[in-house]
Amino acid sequence: GADLQGADLQRANLRGADLQGADLWRADLQEANLQEANLWRADLQGANLQTLRIVDAGLRSDGYRFCYTDLPGEGPRIKAGCRNLTPAQAREHWTKTRGGTPLGEETFLILDYIDRMIVFRGWGPTKGDR
């Protein structure tokens, strides 16, 4: 829950940091190491993430914030609540646990949004190519 509004965190080593609920509004996170950092419910609105491969995919209706990260040494991950999964594992997990439910449908809309942003930003192939 730290108040880091507008903080200059360029190149900061935040590996494994507990940033749960942190207010990172307009923080400069260029080249920061966020590997294994807990960003659950962190406010990344307006944060400078230009050099980081992070997609803040917003809150699911039950309050879980979804983020995509592709950080050095960690690779592509979908993070939501306590979940820290590869994109393939994420789809498999939510198919098994929420498939055919409204919450599941909402989850897949979020995952599809992440896939589209990855392609839009030129970071990688579509989900069908992975």
Side-chain angles (χ1 to χ4, degrees):
D3 181 358
L4 297 169
Q5 275 190 34
D8 182 358
L9 298 169
Q10 286 186 56
R11 294 178 289 284
N13 183 3
L14 299 170
R15 182 185 180 130
D18 185 0
L19 298 171
Q20 180 176 331
D23 186 351
L24 293 162
W25 186 76
R26 293 197 172 188
D28 189 348
L29 292 163
Q30 286 189 80
E31 299 179 35
N33 180 357
L34 292 170
Q35 187 176 346
E36 299 172 10
N38 179 358
L39 295 170
W40 189 53
R41 296 191 181 201
D43 183 357
L44 294 168
Q45 257 184 257
N48 185 350
L49 305 170
Q50 284 183 338
T51 58
L52 298 175
R53 291 185 175 193
I54 297 176
V55 175
D56 181 352
L59 290 176
R60 194 170 62 182
S61 60
D62 61 353
Y64 281 90
R65 176 169 296 282
F66 280 68
C67 288
Y68 166 86
T69 62
D70 186 356
L71 304 172
E74 189 176 64
R77 309 299 290 180
I78 303 292
K79 298 175 181 179
C82 64
R83 306 283 181 227
N84 183 349
L85 307 166
T86 67
Q89 289 171 333
R91 286 189 179 275
E92 181 181 336
H93 169 74
W94 281 298
T95 296
K96 286 181 181 176
T97 61
R98 300 284 188 253
T101 68
L103 202 57
E105 291 302 312
E106 183 181 7
T107 301
F108 292 112
L109 287 171
I110 292 168
L111 296 177
D112 290 344
Y113 167 78
I114 290 169
D115 281 332
R116 291 184 65 153
M117 290 305 293
I118 291 167
V119 172
F120 175 77
R121 293 179 180 175
W123 297 343
T126 64
K127 68 180 177 188
D129 296 331
R130 288 191 268 182

